[in-house]
Amino acid sequence: MLHIADPAGRALEAAGHRRAGLLGTRYTMELGFLGERLEKQFGIKALVPPEDERAALQRVIIEELTLGVVKPDSKALLLQLAKGLAERGAECIVVACTELPLLLAMEHYPVPAHDMVELHAEAAVELALAQDRTGRLEG
């Protein structure tokens, strides 16, 4: 099993990040399956926006982005949330939602941003390529 947080954790660790802002759906930010894993496995503290900002981002994801609607105000909101996390000590942003790159490219965040889905997909390909024809992992 390839836990989605592990490739991000390895990337953040390699970059020397110890505090990461976590942006995604409300459930991703609140339930802890990513943030707690980053902290337990990699010693990386995950910061999330305040509750009202998490609710606003959830609304944008569900009511706009999943329907293909991209609004300038929503882009401004996402950037504001990322800046707020950086001001609270986030050294980077973990973009943990497939739709958020529709609003803001990784290079436009105020601190380094890491696309969790992209990192997970790359790790899955590496894992698949590491398997021999019998399905066993090499090495």
Side-chain angles (χ1 to χ4, degrees), residues 84-123:
L85 290 169
E87 289 168 2
R88 291 180 36 220
E91 302 160 337
C92 65
I93 300 295
V94 175
V95 180
C97 176
T98 56
E99 290 83 12
L100 290 181
L102 296 171
L103 283 179
L104 196 61
M106 297 303 113
E107 62 269 15
H108 294 134
Y109 281 84
V111 292
H114 303 270
D115 185 333
M116 181 172 267
V117 175
E118 184 177 317
L119 292 168
H120 191 235
E122 289 170 356

Side-chain angles (χ1 to χ4, degrees), residues 41-60:
Q41 297 293 320
F42 302 95
I44 297 167
K45 175 73 175 159
L47 306 173
V48 297
E51 195 282 326
D52 60 324
E53 293 177 357
R54 293 192 307 266
L57 184 56
Q58 175 76 6
R59 186 199 59 73
V60 167

Side-chain angles (χ1 to χ4, degrees), residues 7-21:
R10 287 191 291 276
L12 300 180
E13 189 175 59
H17 301 307
R18 305 312 308 156
R19 294 171 59 88

